[in-house]
Amino acid sequence: MDDFIAARSQMALSLGFHIIFSCIGMVMPFFMAVSHYYWLKTRDITYKNITKAWSKGVAIFFATGAVSGTVLSFELGLLWPEFMKHAGPIFGMPFSLEGTAFFIEAIALGFFLYGWDRFNPWFHWFTGVIVGVSGLLSGILVVAANGWMNSPAGFDYVNGQYINIDPIKAMFNDAWFSQALHMSIAAFAATGFAVAGVHALMILKGKNILFHSKSFKIAAIFGTVAAVLQPLSGDISAKDVAQRQPAKLAAMEAHFKTEEKASLIIGGIPDEESQTVKYAIKIPGALSYLAHGDFNTEVTGLDKIPKENHPPVAITHYAFQIMVGMGMLMMLVSVLYFIGIWKKKKWLGTKWLLKLFVASTPLGFIAVEAGWTVTEVGRQPWIIYGVMRTADAVTPMPGIVYSFYLFTAVYLSLSVIVAFMLYRQIKMVGKLYDTPGHN
C-alpha cells in the first residue's frame, strides 16, 4: 500500500466510523423529545423512563461522535494540505458554523441531562429539542461542505489561482440541497430502524414489554416514514448528479456507452476492459427517465469521458446497488408496518413483524456507508470536482501507511468499547425499568 492509497483509506475509515455516530447524534434527540413530550402530556411514567434511557445513549454517541469528528477535521489538514490551502478560505464558512452548532448542541445536552427537576418542565423539554435541531444542522452544514467538493462554487479559477471568493455562494452550492436532504432522511431511516430493531428484539425476549413496545413504536414511525420518503430524495439526487457529474452517474449504473433510451441496470458484474455488464437485469429506457424525466433522452456514458477521469466503476456500481437494495428492503418492511397500522391491527406485535424489524436493524447503516462510498469514490479522481485531483492534494509526508494502521487499531478498539457500553446500557435498561413506577 503506497502513501496515497493509505491516506485515502484512512479518510474512508474515519468517515465510515464517524458517519454512524453522526447519524445517531442527528436523530436520536428527536426520538427523545417525542417520548419526553408524551411524558409531560400524559404523565405516563414509562415515557419518562424511555426519555432517560435514550438520553444516556445520546450522551454516549455524542461523545464518540465528537471525538471522531474532531479527528476527521485534523485529517483534512494533515493528509490533504494542498486541498486545505486553497479550499479552506472558500468553504470554511459551513465548517465554522458547524462548530457553532456543535457547541450549542453540547450546551443544550448538558442542560438536558442535568436539568431533571431543576428547570421548568417545558423549558427542559425545549433543551432536548435544541439538541436535535443543532445536531441536524451540524450534519447539514458538513454535507454542504462535501457538496462543494462535488459542485465547486463561490470562486473563479484563473491561471491556477482561486479569486473572487464568495463563501455564501460556496456554502449554498448546487449540490448542497439534494445531498443534505438525502443524507438527513437516510439518517432518520437508519437510526429509526436500528433503534426499533433493538427494542423489537427485547420484546421478543419478553423483557419489559411495555417499555420496549412504546419505545419501538416511536422509533418505528420515524424510521418507516423516512424509508418511504427516501426514494423521492434519491430521485432528486440522481437527477442532480446526472446534470453535474455524468461520470459518477455512469459509474453508478455501469453505463459504458452513451445512448438514448438508456437501460437501468439492476445487479450485474461490470467489466471495464470489455465495457460490458454481465448477469444484469436491464429495464429499457428507465435510466433515461430517472436521470432526465424522459424515456428517450440520451444519457452520457463513460465512452464520452476521458479515461483518466473515469471513477472506479466496479466499486461505485456495487456500492450503489447495495444502497438501493437496502433502501428497498426497508421500504418493504415500512409498507407492511403501515398496512398493520391502518388495515391489519392484528399484525402489530406479531412475532413475524418484530423479527422483520430485528433483521432490518443494520440495513439503514449499511445503506449509509454504501451511499458515502458512492459519493466519495464516484467523484474520483477529483477532490474538488473538475478543479483539483486527489493525487495533487495529498501530503508529501512519508509513512502515512503506518498512520493508517494505527488509526485502524484505534477505531477498532473504540468500536469494541462503544459496543460494550451500549450492551451494558441496554442490560441496565431492562433491570432499572422493569419495575412499574420506577422514575
Side-chain angles (χ1 to χ4, degrees):
M1 182 186 294
D2 60 28
D3 285 334
F4 175 59
I5 296 299
R8 287 188 60 193
S9 299
Q10 184 171 321
M11 282 298 296
L13 174 70
S14 301
L15 178 61
F17 182 87
H18 175 70
I19 196 63
I20 295 175
F21 300 99
S22 178
C23 285
I24 297 172
M26 289 165 61
V27 173
M28 276 294 291
F30 290 103
F31 297 3
M32 186 177 74
V34 169
S35 63
H36 194 183
Y37 175 82
Y38 283 146
W39 152 243
L40 293 175
K41 293 296 289 185
T42 68
R43 290 297 164 176
D44 183 340
I45 195 66
T46 304
Y47 286 116
K48 183 179 183 180
N49 292 339
I50 292 170
T51 305
K52 285 192 170 185
W54 277 349
S55 68
K56 292 174 183 178
V58 168
I60 294 171
F61 286 115
F62 177 82
T64 311
V67 172
S68 58
T70 302
V71 170
L72 266 173
S73 300
F74 281 118
E75 285 179 338
L76 278 173
L78 293 173
L79 299 178
W80 314 101
E82 193 65 21
F83 166 71
M84 291 303 295
K85 173 184 174 182
H86 298 291
I90 304 171
F91 80 151
M93 180 175 284
F95 274 130
S96 301
L97 293 175
E98 190 276 335
T100 303
F102 169 78
F103 284 123
I104 293 173
E105 182 183 6
I107 293 168
L109 181 59
F111 279 0
F112 187 83
L113 291 175
Y114 296 102
W116 288 99
D117 303 320
R118 292 181 175 89
F119 294 142
N120 173 279
W122 285 105
F123 175 78
H124 183 221
W125 171 81
F126 181 70
T127 62
V129 174
I130 293 298
V131 174
V133 172
S134 55
L136 183 60
L137 185 60
S138 291
I140 291 173
L141 288 166
V142 170
V143 172
N146 182 267
W148 179 85
M149 297 165 70
N150 285 297
S151 180
F155 66 98
D156 293 321
Y157 186 64
V158 181
N159 297 325
Q161 299 294 317
Y162 298 78
I163 60 175
N164 301 327
I165 293 173
D166 183 346
I168 299 293
K169 189 175 180 181
M171 183 166 68
F172 295 108
N173 55 79
D174 290 341
W176 85 270
F177 176 76
S178 60
Q179 284 196 205
L181 178 66
H182 196 55
M183 182 63 228
S184 298
I185 296 176
F188 275 94
T191 306
F193 268 86
V195 175
V198 170
H199 289 294
L201 180 62
M202 294 298 104
I203 295 170
L204 288 170
K205 288 186 173 182
K207 302 289 182 66
N208 199 355
I209 303 296
L210 180 62
F211 176 92
H212 290 293
S213 294
K214 292 181 182 294
S215 302
F216 169 81
K217 185 176 181 180
I218 294 172
I221 290 293
F222 272 103
T224 52
V225 170
V228 171
L229 293 176
Q230 188 67 316
L232 300 177
S233 71
D235 182 64
I236 294 171
S237 294
K239 286 179 168 58
D240 181 60
V241 168
Q243 295 294 328
R244 294 183 301 95
Q245 296 176 294
K248 178 184 286 187
L249 179 71
M252 287 160 56
E253 293 290 346
H255 183 61
F256 291 104
K257 296 179 181 178
T258 302
E259 60 183 358
E260 297 177 353
K261 298 181 181 179
S263 298
L264 179 70
I265 293 176
I266 300 175
I269 301 173
D271 185 336
E272 295 185 55
E273 291 298 323
S274 63
Q275 295 196 338
T276 58
V277 184
K278 301 175 181 177
Y279 315 115
I281 299 172
K282 297 185 178 182
I283 305 175
L287 179 58
S288 292
Y289 181 78
L290 291 174
H292 301 291
D294 187 329
F295 286 101
N296 299 311
T297 303
E298 180 179 274
V299 178
T300 302
L302 290 168
D303 58 338
K304 279 198 174 181
I305 298 165
K307 195 165 185 178
E308 64 270 18
N309 294 338
H310 286 192
V313 176
I315 295 174
T316 308
H317 177 69
Y318 294 143
F320 180 68
Q321 296 291 309
I322 291 171
M323 179 186 71
V324 173
M326 298 299 103
M328 295 304 292
L329 288 173
M330 288 191 294
M331 190 167 69
L332 176 61
V333 175
S334 300
V335 169
L336 292 173
Y337 185 65
F338 291 147
I339 292 173
I341 291 175
W342 291 324
K343 296 290 185 180
K344 302 284 187 178
K345 298 289 186 182
K346 61 182 180 180
W347 285 8
L348 301 178
T350 56
K351 286 187 177 181
W352 67 267
L353 186 61
L354 291 172
K355 287 179 179 179
L356 276 179
F357 273 94
V358 173
S360 302
T361 300
L363 298 185
F365 287 112
I366 294 172
V368 167
E369 297 286 4
W372 274 101
T373 301
V374 171
T375 299
E376 298 301 291
V377 176
R379 189 178 64 243
Q380 300 307 313
W382 307 100
I383 191 168
I384 306 175
Y385 189 73
V387 177
M388 179 186 289
R389 290 180 177 272
T390 309
D392 296 332
V394 71
T395 177
M397 184 179 67
I400 298 299
V401 65
Y402 300 109
S403 173
F404 169 63
Y405 294 146
L406 175 63
F407 272 79
T408 300
V410 169
Y411 280 128
L412 286 174
S413 301
L414 195 56
S415 298
V416 171
I417 292 170
V418 172
F420 171 74
M421 291 176 66
L422 290 175
Y423 174 74
R424 189 177 67 172
Q425 177 64 21
I426 292 170
K427 286 190 69 176
M428 287 176 62
V429 166
K431 292 178 180 179
L432 286 175
Y433 303 133
D434 204 22
T435 303
H438 177 85
N439 57 15

